[in-house]
């Protein structure tokens, strides 16, 4: 079964003050780590949506078999990046959406999402953390139009919560811990 991945890496990192995608964690930048994690989980193709720091991110991903797509409307919100990323994928059975700043995400978790989809054929397989469901999440091919139709300021969670009965959850301890500040990176890396 073919599962493509969309790595959202277009943001301007305004709270951090420097490109979050290029922060180093365990010897790799966050964006490279996310792309390699998706590839290690068997996702193919892997599309990385860039925007604010596109050239620097592209340089960082040089040599990886990923497709980079530019989102010129990255300032408008995550919904635009999702649309650009999903549209860049060829026909696949499912789309795995992930961010580059969730340090608790590894290839085993992404593989668990894919395995759960293969076993249940649920339209959505989402990560569960802190009493909520969110990304990384896998969406069946049938839901691509919903992802593409999101408003600019909406993320994938909007599709996840729309109809809870169509979602299967895979626990992700610490999934809500992301990197928005330098202190976050220090705390999560320790």
């Amino acid at each position: 079964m073919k599962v493509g991945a969309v790595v959202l890496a277009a943001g301007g990192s305004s709270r951090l003050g420097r490109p979050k995608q290029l922060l180093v964690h365990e010897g790799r930048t966050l964006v490279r780590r996310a792309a390699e994690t998706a590839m290690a989980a068997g996702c193919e193709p892997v599309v990385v949506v860039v925007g604010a720091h596109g050239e620097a991110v592209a340089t960082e991903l040089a040599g990886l078999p990923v497709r980079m797509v530019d989102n010129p409307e990255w300032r408008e919100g995550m919904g635009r990046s999702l649309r650009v990323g999903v549209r860049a994928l060829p026909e696949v059975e499912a789309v795995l959406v992930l961010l580059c700043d969730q340090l608790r995400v590894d290839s085993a978790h992404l593989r668990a999402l894919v395995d759960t989809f293969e076993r249940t054929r649920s339209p959505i397989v989402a990560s569960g953390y802190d009493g909520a469901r969110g990304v990384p999440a896998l969406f069946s091919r049938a839901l691509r139009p919903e992802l593409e139709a999101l408003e600019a300021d909406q993320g994938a969670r909007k599709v996840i919560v729309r109809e809870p009965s169509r979602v299967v959850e895979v626990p992700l301890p610490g999934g809500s811990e992301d990197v928005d500040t330098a202190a976050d990176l220090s705390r999560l890396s320790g």
Side-chain angles (χ1 to χ4, degrees), residues 41-131:
C43 296
E44 202 260 316
V46 173
V47 170
V48 180
V49 182
V50 298
H53 311 286
E55 287 182 26
V57 172
T59 298
E60 179 55 32
L61 295 175
L64 290 183
V66 299
R67 178 171 181 208
M68 280 174 287
V69 292
D70 183 53
N71 173 18
E73 300 175 335
W74 64 267
R75 285 180 187 84
E76 293 184 31
M78 196 178 294
R80 292 292 181 261
S81 288
L82 268 170
R83 177 184 299 163
V84 167
V86 170
R87 286 182 176 168
L89 283 173
E91 193 61 31
V92 291
E93 291 295 314
V95 176
L96 180 66
V97 177
L98 67 152
L99 308 175
C100 63
D101 68 345
Q102 290 177 293
L103 302 185
R104 303 293 182 233
V105 174
D106 58 18
S107 60
H109 179 72
L110 299 184
R111 191 69 234 167
L113 295 173
V114 173
D115 291 346
T116 301
F117 175 74
E118 289 176 344
R119 190 179 71 255
T120 67
R121 292 297 179 174
S122 177
I124 302 172
V125 181
S127 299
Y129 41 86
D130 292 347

Side-chain angles (χ1 to χ4, degrees), residues 146-168:
E146 285 186 49
L147 292 171
E148 292 180 27
L150 288 168
E151 296 295 323
D153 63 345
Q154 297 173 331
R157 189 180 304 256
K158 179 81 173 179
V159 176
I160 294 168
V161 302
R162 186 170 290 142
E163 289 181 41
S165 64
R166 64 184 182 175
V167 182
V168 172

